[in-house]
Amino acid sequence: MMSSVPGPDKKTKLMVYTIEECPVCGQKTKPAFAVGDYVTKDGAKCTKCGNQTKITLIYAEGSKPSG
Ligand SMILES: [Zn+2]
């Protein structure tokens, strides 16, 4: 289902990020959120040690206009 989510301010564009954390070495990566991502889901392979990362957080961040 595709529904538009009302933002707090139409002038501020929100970017949604997914935080993937490696349980072995603790490395965190912050790729852009992809549809279907959810906390505890398996993320990409750790770029440092090659282990499976887990999504630990999904959050939105306002991108600043021209600056
Ligand atoms: Zn790792």
Side-chain angles (χ1 to χ4, degrees):
M1 180 161 63
M2 298 289 285
S3 61
S4 60
V5 180
D9 188 337
K10 287 179 181 175
K11 292 174 188 171
T12 305
K13 183 167 174 66
L14 282 177
M15 281 295 297
V16 184
Y17 294 100
T18 299
I19 302 298
E20 295 175 354
E21 187 169 348
C22 175
V24 179
C25 71
Q27 166 147 292
K28 291 180 184 176
T29 55
K30 192 178 96 172
F33 172 81
V35 175
D37 283 357
Y38 56 87
V39 174
T40 70
K41 183 189 175 189
D42 287 345
K45 289 269 168 58
C46 177
T47 55
K48 202 170 171 183
C49 71
N51 276 281
Q52 183 72 61
T53 63
K54 291 276 187 183
I55 293 174
T56 58
L57 183 69
I58 293 171
Y59 77 102
E61 189 177 275
S63 61
K64 293 173 184 172
S66 72

